[in-house]
Amino acid sequence: RLHLVTWNVGTASPPPDVTSLLQLNSLGPTMDMYVIGLQEVNSRITNFLSDLAFDDPWSIFFMAVLSPLGYIKLSSVRMQGLLLLVFVKHIHLPFIRDIHTHYIRTGLYGYWGNKGGVTVRMSLYGRTICFMNCHLPAHMENTEQRLDDFEKILEMQFEEESIPSTLDHDVLFWFGDLNFRIADYGIHFVRESINNKRYNLLWEKDQLNMAKKKEAFLQDFIEGPLQFKPTYKFDLYSDVYDTSEKKRKPAWTDRILWRVKNLCQHASKEGEFSEEEQTISVTLNNYISHMSYGISDHKPVTGTFGLELKPLLLDPLVTLNPEGEWSAEHDVLISYSAVPEFPSSAWDWIGLFKVSFRHVNDYVTYAWVEDDEISSNKDSKQVYMSAAEIPDMGGEFLLGYYSNNMQTIVGISQPFQIQPNRTSIDKDLTQEENSWTQKPDNLESHDEF
């Protein structure tokens, strides 16, 4: 289950709550992956430089929301105001490989990154998936420029030669502030149709819908029905369309589309395809806007999808487990085994992570698989981890094997408990009690305080 968000946040800070945006109170099964595409993230030069050195406020915000629920930030890519974040449940980590990011500028003839696209691609259980967050040129008259820019973004190549082109991925998701407008109809007819919830009257004049009928490169892209109000342009903190002097005509600028490669290639004349050919299918469960968010003049749009695929990968490259009962009072052992074809490296390491870890570098401690190895046989190896590095308070943790060659976690353990270091905790409590019972010297002559 995949939940995809697109939102032009208009340089605003994150809102207090995103429970409904991420459907965290949904009664159905939890999501396996969140993909969050933002546009117009605050990108003043001072902000941008600090965000390059550290995570930007939006990334930190979503990590704080999702990490306690068992999601880690798998990947992110930023180009000025464009930000794309991918979060995934721990259990899928060993089956996600070949993660790569890319961006392409289209603003100012390709020299400026206020417009363009940012992309994250990966292999998921052996199937290739690509996510593309775009911000295309604004204004009613720029339809051709929008189409030209998107075609250019589609043609971009990843730096690694082994990675397929964007359109050669099994599934491609295209979303963002695409800026397509409603042509021909006047503002009064558009607003009246919206007020009467007769959105279907506007669909045939939506510039993207019109372009999909004419442009060959768009015809394989699928979109759910636009059964929500146009998401642009609103007065801030309201659900009232633009009351400024410009009185912008409402439009569905914020969109989510997808393309399934084997549907394009294997569809028969009857519009059906054989069971053998369908390796992956995408089902749209809902496609909605979220009117309660008012931090910008756009409303966020989400799509919730079911991805059904025939996995090419069923076994992790590395299987690892904590040995025996772990305690912060003594050194501990990790056992692991790798499949024969695994490309191990002297720079591989095993990290100890809190269950709510945020990203791959958010480890508590780690052990080098070669330097800290204590035994080895054809079936498994053992690595030790020092008690001095384990948190005294103990708690619930998991282990992750990081492959330097593959630049990702390729094996992860089940969550397990570490018993606290009672000696250290008792010592800390004693010191704390003593600090309260001893009156500080500098207060002796000031009893009135």
Side-chain angles (χ1 to χ4, degrees):
R1 285 170 56 84
L2 163 71
H3 190 69
L4 202 152
V5 177
T6 179
W7 193 3
N8 183 323
V9 297
T11 73
S13 298
D17 183 77
V18 285
T19 300
S20 63
L21 182 72
L22 301 180
Q23 297 194 349
L24 300 179
N25 287 340
S26 169
L27 297 177
T30 58
M31 301 299 164
D32 296 287
M33 184 180 286
Y34 284 96
V35 178
I36 300 165
L38 305 179
Q39 307 86 39
E40 291 193 24
V41 172
N42 192 338
S43 59
R44 288 194 301 257
I45 196 70
T46 50
N47 291 75
F48 187 56
L49 291 174
S50 66
D51 291 350
L52 286 178
F54 310 99
D55 275 316
D56 65 277
W58 281 93
S59 297
I60 293 167
F61 171 73
F62 280 114
M63 281 191 286
V65 171
L66 290 171
S67 64
L69 304 176
Y71 299 89
I72 83 153
K73 189 181 80 171
L74 179 75
S75 185
S76 66
V77 56
R78 169 95 185 262
M79 181 184 73
Q80 284 178 230
L82 271 170
L83 176 63
L84 178 55
L85 302 164
V86 179
F87 292 86
V88 67
K89 278 276 191 187
H90 300 155
I91 56 169
H92 300 298
L93 280 176
F95 306 100
I96 300 175
R97 301 176 193 170
D98 302 323
I99 305 161
H100 293 277
T101 63
H102 194 80
Y103 62 85
I104 185 166
R105 302 181 183 94
T106 58
L108 274 183
Y109 309 102
Y111 289 101
W112 190 238
N114 65 323
K115 296 291 191 291
V118 290
T119 302
V120 173
R121 63 86 55 195
M122 68 192 70
S123 161
L124 176 67
Y125 290 90
R127 304 297 178 185
T128 55
I129 297 187
C130 188
F131 300 100
M132 184 180 290
N133 173 25
C134 296
H135 193 183
L136 301 181
H139 307 305
M140 179 71 70
E141 65 276 10
N142 284 333
T143 304
E144 291 305 316
Q145 185 65 53
R146 286 189 272 278
L147 295 172
D148 288 348
D149 283 5
F150 180 54
E151 199 162 16
K152 181 181 175 185
I153 293 167
L154 274 180
E155 290 169 355
M156 72 92 187
Q157 298 288 328
F158 290 90
E159 292 175 7
E160 293 75 9
E161 292 181 8
S162 60
I163 297 178
S165 67
T166 310
L167 289 173
D168 278 335
H169 284 72
D170 292 324
V171 182
L172 168 62
F173 287 94
W174 170 39
F175 49 95
D177 180 359
L178 308 184
N179 255 321
F180 290 102
R181 307 304 170 99
I182 297 171
D184 299 341
Y185 296 141
I187 188 170
H188 295 296
F189 178 78
V190 171
R191 289 195 174 188
E192 195 64 25
S193 300
I194 295 168
N195 289 340
N196 293 323
K197 296 186 177 180
R198 300 185 68 185
Y199 309 131
N200 59 309
L201 298 179
L202 308 176
W203 292 345
E204 66 178 24
K205 294 299 181 181
D206 172 80
Q207 291 175 336
L208 180 54
N209 285 342
M210 291 193 289
K212 282 179 66 183
K213 293 175 182 175
K214 294 190 301 181
E215 303 290 344
F217 73 97
L218 290 179
Q219 287 172 5
D220 291 332
F221 282 94
I222 305 166
E223 183 180 19
L226 297 167
Q227 292 176 339
F228 49 86
K229 293 171 72 169
T231 50
Y232 172 85
K233 168 181 168 106
F234 289 89
D235 292 345
L236 295 184
Y237 298 102
S238 81
D239 55 5
V240 176
Y241 284 107
D242 187 14
T243 59
S244 71
E245 288 182 11
K246 291 183 178 179
K247 285 193 168 56
R248 297 272 191 213
K249 189 161 59 168
W252 285 289
T253 55
D254 310 280
R255 312 285 278 269
I256 300 171
L257 297 92
W258 71 98
R259 178 185 186 274
V260 181
K261 182 184 169 190
N262 60 11
L263 282 182
C264 310
Q265 293 183 347
H266 300 306
S268 67
K269 291 177 182 175
E270 292 80 26
E272 298 174 351
F273 39 87
S274 71
E275 192 65 29
E276 289 75 34
E277 289 167 333
Q278 189 186 4
T279 58
I280 186 165
S281 67
V282 178
T283 305
L284 177 66
N285 295 328
N286 66 34
Y287 186 35
I288 57 175
S289 65
H290 296 260
M291 294 295 292
S292 63
Y293 294 94
I295 61 172
S296 80
D297 53 1
H298 291 251
K299 300 299 181 185
V301 170
T302 62
T304 306
F305 297 88
L307 267 61
E308 194 169 336
L309 48 85
K310 290 185 177 178
L312 294 173
L313 298 175
L314 287 170
D315 299 311
L317 291 172
V318 174
T319 305
L320 72 166
N321 294 291
E323 288 223 342
E325 185 175 286
W326 276 36
S327 166
E329 295 179 355
H330 55 73
D331 295 349
V332 291
L333 296 178
I334 302 160
S335 64
Y336 76 92
S337 59
V339 298
E341 66 272 20
F342 174 60
S344 62
S345 159
W347 297 104
D348 290 357
W349 49 271
I350 295 173
L352 177 68
F353 297 91
K354 291 183 177 178
V355 168
S356 59
F357 74 112
R358 297 169 299 168
H359 50 76
V360 70
N361 292 324
D362 192 23
Y363 49 78
V364 175
T365 184
Y366 64 89
W368 295 107
V369 296
E370 286 199 7
D371 289 356
D372 297 319
E373 183 181 299
I374 59 168
S375 74
S376 174
N377 59 48
K378 65 181 178 64
D379 294 324
S380 68
K381 298 183 178 183
Q382 282 187 327
V383 173
Y384 87 94
M385 196 171 272
S386 168
E389 304 295 330
I390 296 174
D392 285 333
M393 298 302 293
E396 192 175 23
F397 293 83
L398 46 78
L399 297 165
Y401 187 111
Y402 183 84
S403 164
N404 187 64
N405 286 329
M406 302 179 74
Q407 297 284 295
T408 187
I409 288 177
V410 295
I412 199 159
S413 75
Q414 292 292 322
F416 63 95
Q417 288 290 329
I418 297 180
Q419 299 304 314
N421 184 337
R422 292 292 176 197
T423 306
S424 179
I425 292 172
D426 291 345
K427 183 179 175 183
D428 289 344
L429 289 172
T430 302
Q431 288 176 343
E432 194 173 323
E433 287 170 4
N434 289 339
S435 70
W436 281 103
T437 54
Q438 291 176 354
K439 182 184 269 187
D441 293 339
N442 62 341
L443 291 184
E444 280 187 354
S445 60
H446 300 283
D447 288 342
E448 64 270 32
F449 294 126

